[in-house]
């Protein structure tokens, strides 16, 4: 018994002498904002020798261990702030010092001058962050222009965005979908000024906390929102000019205003911009109708007829984009925010139009017939829309609750008239009307709990409801009267609802190993209605023969897992897995037929099914003082991948395009990104390379369109492809900088053929004046005038080569003036994908684990 009592006493003494834990959070005393990367040092009272030290994390928090009982002094310092000291005593238990406020030192801030290049790219194991302000090409540009310079991201001539060779990618704004779909995001991003964007996050494998939509991942646009005390803003104005013919096309223009302010418990921002752009492009198609099945190499012995189409187009578009937001700090632990953006592009006000002149030459080698004609297209349209968000955040100790509601509304209206002239024939006049509207709401609740400084539990609920409608009709114009073309009538409605719940848990062991697992469950419902007209003009229900396809409902699970290990000395390794989905939407399932090119008609497939993908990545990150290397291996396996297919219509002359679920598609690849600072601060070089093996399985199936069965027979495709991108930023002096961006992409496979290689070069120069308050930027986009999309496709009865060019070489000049009375500092937090914090290497927002 005495021995037991002795052991208990000994343990009591040991526990009393055990190390204590000291925690706290560092904030800006004036604004209440957190301060990350602040230095925290502990010394014994009466001594200046540091015992322990650390820096605050992304939430402003710090944690110091290894301190025994006694009296200590804690010192907190950060550039631009007065140093804070605080005495404390430890007596056998952990101590939380609470919120420690630092006061700004305005004199020190005014004396600091940074001469050098800020990093334009931040690497993390699960994502890459691109800082827009550091990109000279962003001056006076749209968000679409900036995305063209992001590694792993490609933007084709039509504005279609792909990530790692896949268009199944989601575009988010401040961590939310914000109503951007494949239907409207091309127009929205083209109107959105790049100056409103703080940074762009590329996340290829998001955790279960986020929507699994987009089999390739998420591109998150983080908008500017500075919360420093006072006000800060900028005014921009610029001109851009297309350098290709015709030379009589006037230049485009852009103007913008950005304003941020903070007054006590309220901070806000307001941005407004107007863009008017003009671009020239062209197209060419060589199509051979064959007596058999086409292959990669054209067999001249099978040719029955030959069609050559050449086109020239000019696109004029403009609109106004505005966004605003207010944040109210209701109390110490709660914040209420309201924000939104909108765009207006009425054709009468902003002169939106598109003209296209096409020439056709058709040679029938079997019957010895030739035909030549021209077809002129004139379109006007508008695409108004907007988004509004209300959010509430409550934080208390280790708990946080975020609740938000979002509403979005986007429309698209287009009227087109056609004039077709052929020798010996009456002139043909036609028109086509297209209208669509997309609306949606999202309600989210996210809860976060940190049971220990090294662990985190997250759970939440997410409800989305989206509905859309579109209608289209077309007519021949005879003696001034409209004569309906019933085959081009379409009335389409869709309603989708999704209930999602998720839970994730992560922990960090030995300050080296991080593990996070998550599971998301979604109950998805979809209702479709589609009406078309037969040859007599009678309306028909597209689902009359298949009523079970009108309504779809199913439950799916989407797991995620992350394991990472920090070897020290800048070495990190991560393995992650996610399951994701691509649900067909918009034009992919809308049966509306577009006959802008009368020989090449496209429409959607109402029978499309969701495509699911399993994604596995192994990433390695190594950092040095002036160099960073990110390398990864990825494998993606997709079931029911959606691909565009082509087939010859029954008349043997018209090609039709639609979408189809192929059986499987998989990619195995390597991605390497290196960032280097060379010659002091003169050159910052970012190089990315992406090489992968791509396989599309063979398909032998059929689909139905307006009562007609179409046989789909696709051969399997394999190719080894890749892309290389180089971005070089030069700092000639502290006020004069330059940039060169070059990209190359190898040929790639599609379901029925290949896409040719592509390359381009952009140049930029920027000079600042008046202590960097005034900046002048000169940019040349597509210096070699080489951007174009070239496809070779083949199938039953045809072989075709096509080239499309929507834009041409252009030059722009932009002037920016910065004003304000606030002192901007490092540590201002933006709305990143995780909400208020940035994501760590486990797919969560940064924490202590």
């Amino acid at each position: 018994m005495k021995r037991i009592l002795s052991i208990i006493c000994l343990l009591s003494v040991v526990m009393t002498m055990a190390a204590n834990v000291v925690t706290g959070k560092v904030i800006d005393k004036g604004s209440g904002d957190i301060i990350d990367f602040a230095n925290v040092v502990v010394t014994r009272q009466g001594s200046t020798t540091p015992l322990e030290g650390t820096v605050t994390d992304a939430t402003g928090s710090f944690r110091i261990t290894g301190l025994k009982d006694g009296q200590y002094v804690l010192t907190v310092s950060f550039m631009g702030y007065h140093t804070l000291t605080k005495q404390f005593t430890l007596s056998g238990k952990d101590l939380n010092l609470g919120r420690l406020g630092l006061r700004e030192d305005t004199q020190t801030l005014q004396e600091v001058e940074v001469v050098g290049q800020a990093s334009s790219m931040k690497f993390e194991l699960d994502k890459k962050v691109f800082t827009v302000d550091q990109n000279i090409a962003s001056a006076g540009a749209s968000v679409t222009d900036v995305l063209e310079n992001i590694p792993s991201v490609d933007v084709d001539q039509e504005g279609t965005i792909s990530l790692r060779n896949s268009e199944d990618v989601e575009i988010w704004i401040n961590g939310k979908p914000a109503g951007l779909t494949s239907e409207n995001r091309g127009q929205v991003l083209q109107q959105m000024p790049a100056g409103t964007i703080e940074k762009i996050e590329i996340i290829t494998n998001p955790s279960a906390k986020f929507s699994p939509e987009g089999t390739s991942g998420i591109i998150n646009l983080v908008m500017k929102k500075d919360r420093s005390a006072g006000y800060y803003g900028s005014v921009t104005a610029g001109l851009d000019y297309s350098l290709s013919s015709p030379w009589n096309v006037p230049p485009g223009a852009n103007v913008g205003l950005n304003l941020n302010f903070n007054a006590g418990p309220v901070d806000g921002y307001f941005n407004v911009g107007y863009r008017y752009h003009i671009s020239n492009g062209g197209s060419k198609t060589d199509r051979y109708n064959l007596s058999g099945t086409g292959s990669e190499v054209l067999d001249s012995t099978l040719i029955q007829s030959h069609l050559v189409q050449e086109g020239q187009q000019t696109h004029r578009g403009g609109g106004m984009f505005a966004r605003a937001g207010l944040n109210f700090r209701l109390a110490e632990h709660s914040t209420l925010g309201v924000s939104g953006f909108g765009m207006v592009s009425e054709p009468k006000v902003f002169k939106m139009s598109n003209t296209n002149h096409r020439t056709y030459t058709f040679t029938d080698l079997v019957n010895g017939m030739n035909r030549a004609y021209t077809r002129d297209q004139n379109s006007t349209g508008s695409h108004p829309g907007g988004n509004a968000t209300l959010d509430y955040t409550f934080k208390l100790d280790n708990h946080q609750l975020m609740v938000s509601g979002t509403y979005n509304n986007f429309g698209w209206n287009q009227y087109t008239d056609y004039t077709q002239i052929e020798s010996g024939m009456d002139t043909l006049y036609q028109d086509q009307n297209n209208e669509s509207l997309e609306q949606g709401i999202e309600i989210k609740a996210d809860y976060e709990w940190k049971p220990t400084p090294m662990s985190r539990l997250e759970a939440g609920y997410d409800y989305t409801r989206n509905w859309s409608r579109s209608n289209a009709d077309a007519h021949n114009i005879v003696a001034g009267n409209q004569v309906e073309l019933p085959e081009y009538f379409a009335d389409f409605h869709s309603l989708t609802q999704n209930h999602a719940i998720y839970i994730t848990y992560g922990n960090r062991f030995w300050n080296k190993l991080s593990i996070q697992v998550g599971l998301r469950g979604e109950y998805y419902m979809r209702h479709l209605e589609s009406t078309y007209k037969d040859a007599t003009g009678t309306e028909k229900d597209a689902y009359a023969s298949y009523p079970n396809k009108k309504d779809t409902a199913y439950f799916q699970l989407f797991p995620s897992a992350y394991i990472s290990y920090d070897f020290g000395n800048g070495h990190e390794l991560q393995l992650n897995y996610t399951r994701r989905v691509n649900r067909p939407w918009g034009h992919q399932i809308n049966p509306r037929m577009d006959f802008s090119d009368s020989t090449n008609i496209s429409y959607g497939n109402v029978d499309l099914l969701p495509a699911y993908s399993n994604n596995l990545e192994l990433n390695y990150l190594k950092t040095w003082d002036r160099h960073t290397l990110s390398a990864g291996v990825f494998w993606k396996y997709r079931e029911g991948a959606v691909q565009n297919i082509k087939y010859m219509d029954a008349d043997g002359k018209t090609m039709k395009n639609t979408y189809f679920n192929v059986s499987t598609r998989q990619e195995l690849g390597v991605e390497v990104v290196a960032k280097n600072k060379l010659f002091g601060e003169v050159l910052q070089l970012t190089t990315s390379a992406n090489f992968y093996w791509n396989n599309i399985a063979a398909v032998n199936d059929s689909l139905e369109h307006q009562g007609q069965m179409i046989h789909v027979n696709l051969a399997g495709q394999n190719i080894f492809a890749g892309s290389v991108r180089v971005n070089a930023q030069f700092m000639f002096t502290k006020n004069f900088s330059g940039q060169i961006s070059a990209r190359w992409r190898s040929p790639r496979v599609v379901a029925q053929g290949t896409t040719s290689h592509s390359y381009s070069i952009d140049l930029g120069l920027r000079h600042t004046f008046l202590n960097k308050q005034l900046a002048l930027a000169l940019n040349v986009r597509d210096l070699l005038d080489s951007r174009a999309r070239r496809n070779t496709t083949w199938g039953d009865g045809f072989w075709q080569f096509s080239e499309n060019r929507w834009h041409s070489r252009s030059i722009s000049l932009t002037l920016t003036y910065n004003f304000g009375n606030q002192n901007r500092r490092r540590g201002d937090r933006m709305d990143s994908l995780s909400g208020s914090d940035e994501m760590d290497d486990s797919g969560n927002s940064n924490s202590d684990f």
Side-chain angles (χ1 to χ4, degrees):
M1 185 67 178
K2 290 183 178 179
R3 289 182 179 179
I4 295 176
L5 291 175
S6 299
I7 292 173
I8 293 175
C9 292
L10 180 60
L11 289 174
S12 300
V13 172
V14 171
M15 291 177 65
T16 302
M17 297 177 61
N20 302 283
V21 178
V22 178
T23 58
K25 176 173 285 191
V26 180
I27 63 171
D28 184 308
K29 193 170 185 178
S31 66
D33 291 342
I34 58 93
I35 300 178
D36 55 357
F37 298 104
N39 294 307
V40 182
V41 178
V42 174
T43 60
R44 287 193 177 275
Q45 287 190 18
S47 172
T48 58
T49 303
L51 296 176
E52 299 288 344
T54 186
V55 294
T56 57
D57 64 14
T59 67
S61 302
F62 64 86
R63 183 176 186 270
I64 295 177
T65 60
L67 298 177
K68 299 180 180 180
D69 291 350
Q71 295 180 328
Y72 299 91
V73 176
L74 181 132
T75 303
V76 183
S77 61
F78 187 75
M79 185 183 70
Y81 288 84
H82 292 286
T83 300
L84 171 71
T85 59
K86 184 178 181 63
Q87 297 182 0
F88 65 94
T89 302
L90 296 177
S91 55
K93 60 180 181 179
D94 296 345
L95 177 63
N96 186 348
L97 296 176
R99 298 160 70 90
L100 305 175
L102 300 185
R103 292 186 297 108
E104 279 192 332
D105 185 350
T106 55
Q107 181 177 357
T108 301
L109 280 172
Q110 292 170 357
E111 292 173 353
V112 172
E113 180 183 23
V114 179
V115 179
Q117 295 193 72
S119 176
S120 62
M121 184 78 72
K122 178 182 178 182
F123 296 92
E124 298 180 19
L125 283 174
D126 67 320
K127 69 175 180 180
K128 299 173 181 65
V129 182
F130 179 83
T131 305
V132 176
D133 280 347
Q134 300 303 317
N135 187 355
I136 297 176
S138 67
S142 68
V143 174
T144 302
D145 298 326
V146 175
L147 287 173
E148 293 178 352
N149 292 307
I150 305 293
S152 303
V153 177
D154 287 286
V155 183
D156 69 13
Q157 288 289 301
E158 288 83 0
T160 303
I161 298 169
S162 61
L163 177 62
R164 283 184 176 173
N165 193 42
S166 172
E167 297 175 12
D168 301 340
V169 59
E170 289 289 292
I171 310 294
W172 286 10
I173 297 177
N174 286 342
K176 300 180 180 66
L180 297 188
T181 68
S182 58
E183 293 296 285
N184 59 45
R185 66 191 183 197
Q187 293 86 4
V188 174
L189 299 182
Q190 185 61 42
Q191 287 298 116
M192 187 181 295
T196 63
I197 303 296
E198 174 71 20
K199 57 188 177 184
I200 298 174
E201 299 174 334
I202 307 298
I203 307 100
T204 53
N205 258 4
S207 74
K209 177 179 179 179
F210 307 102
S211 169
E213 286 280 1
T215 57
S216 292
I218 297 171
I219 299 175
N220 184 45
L221 310 177
V222 182
M223 312 296 281
K224 288 182 177 178
K225 185 168 62 176
D226 197 316
R227 293 182 175 176
S228 299
Y231 69 92
Y232 173 84
S234 63
V235 178
T236 62
L239 295 173
D240 62 85
Y241 189 79
S242 177
L243 296 179
S244 64
S245 61
W247 290 98
N248 58 350
V249 174
N254 66 86
V255 293
L257 169 67
N258 300 317
L259 180 63
N260 300 267
F261 64 90
N262 184 299
V266 180
D267 61 72
Y269 57 89
F270 173 73
N271 313 124
V272 62
Y274 167 75
R275 289 177 53 81
Y276 178 69
H277 59 276
I278 301 176
S279 59
N280 297 311
S283 63
K284 181 178 181 179
T285 299
D286 269 316
R287 181 191 307 157
Y288 295 88
N289 293 347
L290 309 177
S291 59
T293 301
S295 59
E296 184 173 0
V297 179
L298 176 63
D299 186 347
S300 59
T301 63
L302 301 178
I303 298 175
Q304 292 187 317
S305 62
H306 181 208
L307 173 70
V308 177
Q309 178 269 121
E310 294 183 329
Q312 291 183 335
Q313 68 175 9
T314 299
H315 176 72
R316 294 174 172 86
M320 182 174 292
F321 180 91
R323 61 181 289 265
L326 288 172
N327 290 280
F328 305 90
R329 286 180 287 277
L330 304 179
E332 181 181 359
H333 303 292
S334 60
T335 303
L336 179 68
V338 58
S339 60
F341 69 85
M343 52 186 291
V344 181
S345 57
E346 292 298 329
K348 294 181 180 180
V349 179
F350 299 110
K351 300 179 181 179
M352 294 193 61
S353 66
N354 184 63
T355 60
N356 199 325
H357 175 75
R358 292 186 176 98
T359 61
Y360 298 84
T361 303
F362 179 76
T363 304
D364 188 337
L365 301 179
V366 176
N367 300 310
M369 297 175 57
N370 295 320
R371 182 187 177 195
Y373 61 96
T374 63
R375 186 175 176 87
D376 290 310
Q377 169 187 335
N378 292 280
S379 302
T380 58
S382 63
H383 42 82
N387 169 279
T389 300
L390 180 67
D391 59 78
Y392 174 78
T393 303
F394 179 81
K395 296 181 181 180
L396 181 62
D397 297 330
N398 297 328
H399 302 269
Q400 174 177 290
L401 176 65
M402 297 181 63
V403 181
S404 65
T406 302
Y407 170 75
N408 57 78
N409 186 311
F410 292 93
W412 178 68
N413 307 291
Q414 180 173 292
Y415 172 80
T416 307
D417 63 73
Y418 304 93
T419 303
Q420 184 168 308
I421 301 175
E422 183 174 357
S423 178
M425 303 287 289
D426 292 336
T427 300
L428 175 64
Y429 300 97
Q430 296 176 313
D431 67 21
Q432 186 171 33
N433 298 285
N434 300 288
E435 295 181 357
S436 66
L437 177 65
E438 297 178 1
Q439 296 174 295
I441 61 172
E442 180 181 21
I443 300 174
K444 288 187 63 179
D446 299 297
Y447 170 73
E448 176 188 301
W449 174 43
K450 296 181 181 178
T452 69
M454 292 293 184
S455 62
R456 170 179 297 188
L457 176 70
E458 293 178 304
Y461 169 75
D462 187 1
Y463 171 73
T464 57
R465 179 185 177 95
N466 296 290
W467 56 97
S468 68
R469 63 173 178 82
S470 68
N471 54 75
D473 55 33
H475 310 84
N476 284 332
I477 310 300
V478 180
N481 298 314
Q482 290 183 326
V483 179
E484 185 177 29
L485 298 171
E487 63 268 33
Y488 294 101
F489 171 87
D491 189 13
F492 179 73
H493 298 257
S494 71
L495 170 65
T496 64
Q497 297 184 76
N498 191 39
H499 297 268
I501 57 174
Y502 73 87
I503 184 170
T504 68
Y505 176 76
N507 209 332
R508 189 174 179 90
F509 305 93
W510 314 295
N511 206 33
K512 295 288 186 180
L513 177 66
S514 295
I515 298 177
Q516 186 230 296
V517 293
L519 184 65
R520 185 182 183 97
E522 294 195 347
Y523 181 67
Y524 180 82
M525 296 170 286
R526 186 182 74 177
H527 174 75
L528 300 178
E529 294 183 6
S530 177
T531 304
Y532 70 94
K533 291 184 178 180
D534 61 16
T536 65
T538 303
E539 292 190 9
K540 298 286 187 178
D541 184 356
Y543 295 101
S545 302
Y546 309 95
N548 60 317
K549 294 184 179 181
K550 264 191 172 184
D551 294 283
T552 304
Y554 53 86
F555 178 80
Q556 289 283 335
L557 292 175
F558 300 93
S560 66
Y562 301 80
I563 300 177
S564 64
Y565 191 83
D566 185 352
F567 293 92
N569 298 320
H571 295 271
E572 296 180 69
L573 189 67
Q574 183 201 63
L575 178 67
N576 62 63
Y577 164 81
T578 62
R579 182 174 187 255
R580 301 186 63 79
V581 63
N582 175 38
R583 298 185 178 103
W585 176 259
H587 69 280
Q588 291 184 335
I589 57 176
N590 188 342
R592 178 188 70 87
M593 291 199 295
D594 180 8
F595 71 159
S596 54
D597 180 354
S598 59
T599 65
N600 191 9
I601 297 172
S602 61
Y603 65 93
N605 180 6
V606 296
D607 294 332
L608 280 184
L609 298 174
Y612 296 94
S613 71
N614 292 280
N615 310 286
L616 189 66
E617 291 190 20
L618 178 65
N619 296 315
Y620 169 76
L621 181 65
K622 168 62 178 173
T623 58
W624 296 270
D625 289 340
R626 303 179 63 81
H627 309 280
T628 303
L629 174 66
S630 171
V633 178
F634 61 90
W635 176 72
K636 188 187 304 291
Y637 182 83
R638 281 175 278 187
E639 298 176 285
V642 177
Q643 289 283 290
N644 179 265
I645 65 166
K646 307 176 188 295
Y647 65 92
M648 297 303 298
D649 200 11
D651 63 5
K653 300 177 182 178
T654 305
M655 175 170 285
K656 288 190 174 179
N657 300 262
T658 190
Y659 295 89
F660 193 77
N661 292 104
V662 300
S663 53
T664 61
R665 178 171 183 166
Q666 56 181 323
E667 295 173 358
L668 177 64
V670 177
E671 184 177 67
V672 179
V673 183
K675 184 176 67 176
N676 303 278
K677 285 189 175 182
L678 306 172
F679 312 111
E681 295 292 334
V682 174
L683 173 61
Q684 180 172 284
L685 187 66
T686 301
T687 306
S688 64
N690 194 324
F691 297 98
Y692 55 89
W693 168 74
N694 193 348
N695 168 263
I696 301 177
V699 177
N700 189 354
D701 207 339
S702 60
L703 63 90
E704 181 186 9
H705 178 62
Q706 295 185 352
Q708 178 186 357
M709 295 301 298
I710 296 100
H711 182 64
V712 179
N713 185 10
L714 307 178
Q717 290 271 68
N718 288 278
I719 196 171
F720 182 78
S723 62
V724 178
R725 194 182 309 249
V726 178
N727 183 281
Q729 293 178 307
F730 301 88
M731 177 160 282
F732 307 113
T733 70
K734 69 177 183 179
N735 294 319
F736 184 39
S737 57
Q739 177 175 299
I740 300 176
S741 299
R743 62 189 66 82
W744 172 84
R745 191 175 182 182
S746 74
R748 307 174 306 283
V749 295
V750 293
Q752 290 175 286
T754 60
T755 298
S756 300
H757 74 280
S758 59
Y759 59 93
S760 63
I761 296 177
D762 297 337
L763 300 178
L765 295 172
R766 177 166 56 194
H767 200 291
T768 61
F769 309 87
L770 304 177
N771 196 24
K772 298 189 177 181
Q773 281 189 292
L774 187 67
L776 182 65
L778 174 68
N779 283 285
V780 179
R781 291 187 173 88
D782 197 9
L783 178 68
L784 305 178
D785 203 19
S786 56
R787 284 181 182 162
R789 186 180 66 180
R790 302 173 179 89
N791 293 331
T792 302
T793 54
W794 55 86
D796 290 340
F798 75 91
W799 185 96
Q800 175 177 286
F801 170 81
S802 62
E803 177 178 339
N804 288 280
R805 184 191 302 270
W806 278 50
H807 306 283
S808 58
R809 178 171 46 220
S810 64
I811 185 171
S812 65
L813 187 67
T814 305
L815 186 66
T816 302
Y817 176 72
N818 301 303
F819 61 88
N821 68 351
Q822 66 176 316
N823 296 303
R824 308 184 71 187
R825 61 171 178 80
R826 183 183 182 184
D828 293 331
R829 310 312 303 168
M830 306 297 165
D831 292 324
S832 66
L833 182 55
S834 59
S836 59
D837 303 324
E838 293 188 5
M839 296 176 69
D840 69 1
D841 57 357
S842 299
N844 275 307
S845 48
N846 280 327
S847 67
D848 296 313
F849 70 87

